[in-house]
């Protein structure tokens, strides 16, 4: 089967129901996903850890015990050795998460640990660590009619356009049950992300974003201890670069692949989009107010740029 992810054509032996079918031309696939053997170690390894290995030629090995082992080569090929039945969602969760992040690094793309939505024809990302509320914010934006480009990993391309652009990810959100209950989203008929956790994959079926969009702003999410800390602050220079670097998905793996300098050079180009530190209270009752604040902040910046 052929699928689309971030504008790339994937040919996959593993069914990937989370992705859109490929609707473009009949060119060869950009990425091949095959089922096969993945050895216990890489040749000429320059890093060996319990989950991740990197070799001198840039190849990677990633393994989650009792789920699957993955080998990622040249940004063009992923070999999967399943430890579970092939149809188990957990295999795809890690494939479309950590493994895809490693593939992005190999291809010279920047995966940010961020959700992303479209506001007035531009991409707006909101980055944060696990638990910062990225997917919850994405769901709040979606509920208010803003198209979603990504809920957890936002892929930025600086290799061709004059300004950084965001490549739309797969059309779906991953939400915990308590968030779904608060947003009045039913879990009926939905697959759990993994059988042992109460988190669900919610497909976005109406008008998914399929074309790259220019990156307008990156919010860096922080959690306030009390209301006196709530607000935003424009970051500049080294502060903005540091915040972006902290937001890179699988950053340490990229460093261990020998891609530190190349990554930093690409992040310098992402600085063309403003970085804003957003400190907020983690309160479901404040979600819509947070979305409204972010939208107004983005539109104010757009007016300044255009004016």
């Amino acid at each position: 089967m052929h699928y689309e992810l971030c504008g790339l054509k994937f040919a996959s032996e593993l069914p990937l129901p989370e992705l859109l079918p490929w609707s473009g031309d009949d060119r060869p696939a950009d990425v091949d996903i095959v089922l096969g053997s993945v050895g216990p170690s890489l040749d000429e390894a320059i890093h060996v850890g319990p989950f991740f290995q990197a070799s001198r030629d840039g190849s990677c090995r990633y393994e989650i015990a009792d789920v699957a082992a993955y080998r990622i080569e040249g940004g063009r090929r992923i070999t999967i050795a399943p430890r579970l039945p092939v149809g188990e969602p957990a295999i795809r969760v890690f494939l479309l998460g950590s493994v895809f992040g490693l593939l992005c690094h190999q291809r010279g793309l920047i995966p940010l640990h961020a959700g992303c939505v479209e506001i007035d024809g531009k991409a707006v990302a909101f980055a944060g660590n696990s638990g910062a509320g990225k997917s919850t914010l994405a769901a709040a934006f979606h509920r208010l009619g803003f198209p979603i480009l990504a809920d957890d990993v936002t892929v930025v391309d600086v290799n061709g356009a004059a300004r950084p652009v965001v490549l739309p990810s797969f059309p779906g959100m991953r939400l915990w049950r308590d968030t779904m209950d608060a947003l009045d989203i039913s879990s009926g008929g939905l697959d759990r992300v993994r059988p042992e956790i109460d988190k669900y994959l919610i497909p976005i079926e109406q008008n998914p974003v399929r074309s790259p969009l220019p990156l307008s702003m990156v919010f860096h999410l922080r959690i306030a201890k009390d209301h006196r800390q709530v607000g935003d602050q424009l970051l500049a220079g080294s502060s903005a670069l540091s915040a972006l670097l902290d937001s890179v998905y699988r950053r340490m793996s990229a460093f261990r692949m020998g891609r530190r300098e190349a990554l930093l050079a690409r992040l310098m180009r992402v600085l063309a989009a403003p970085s804003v530190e957003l400190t907020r209270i983690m309160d479901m009752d404040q979600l819509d107010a947070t979305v409204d604040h972010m939208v107004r902040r983005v539109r104010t910046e757009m007016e300044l740029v255009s004016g």
Side-chain angles (χ1 to χ4, degrees), residues 128-204:
N129 295 326
S130 296
K134 299 182 297 296
S135 294
T136 302
L137 259 182
F141 271 103
H142 183 253
R143 183 179 61 175
L144 294 173
F146 293 92
I148 294 178
L149 283 79
D151 84 318
D152 188 60
V153 179
T154 295
V155 179
V156 181
D157 186 2
V158 298
N159 295 314
R163 291 179 60 87
V165 298
V166 171
L167 309 178
S169 183
F170 66 87
M173 301 178 291
R174 287 159 289 196
L175 296 176
W176 293 99
R177 170 66 73 84
D178 57 353
T179 299
M180 295 170 63
D181 290 342
L183 296 175
D184 198 26
I185 300 173
S186 171
S187 62
L190 300 177
D191 290 331
R192 290 177 186 250
V193 170
R194 296 181 68 182
E196 68 273 19
I197 63 176
D198 207 19
K199 193 174 189 179
Y200 295 81
L201 177 64
I202 303 169
I204 298 173

Side-chain angles (χ1 to χ4, degrees), residues 118-121 124 144 146 216-217 219 291-307:
E118 179 184 346
I119 299 177
D120 299 340
V124 176
L144 294 173
F146 293 92
S216 175
M217 184 173 287
F219 288 95
V291 169
D292 181 64
H293 175 85
M294 294 170 70
V295 171
R296 285 188 285 109
R297 186 69 173 82
V298 169
R299 287 175 174 164
T300 297
E301 185 67 28
M302 287 181 178
E303 290 174 2
L304 290 173
V305 171
S306 62

Side-chain angles (χ1 to χ4, degrees), residues 217 232-236 274-277 297 301:
M217 184 173 287
D232 66 45
Q233 177 184 1
L234 181 66
L235 302 176
S275 279
V276 174
E277 185 176 77
R297 186 69 173 82
E301 185 67 28

Side-chain angles (χ1 to χ4, degrees), residues 110 112-113 127-129 218-222 235-249 251 255 260 263-264 266-271 273 275-277:
I110 303 170
L112 296 178
H113 201 182
N129 295 326
V218 181
F219 288 95
H220 300 276
L221 303 178
R222 306 288 183 260
L235 302 176
S238 61
S239 295
L241 181 61
S242 178
L244 284 171
L245 182 59
D246 287 345
S247 300
V248 173
Y249 188 63
R251 175 184 69 257
F255 289 174
R260 182 188 182 97
L263 176 59
L264 287 172
R266 291 188 175 95
L267 286 176
M268 291 294 291
R269 298 189 62 186
V270 180
L271 290 175
S275 279
V276 174
E277 185 176 77

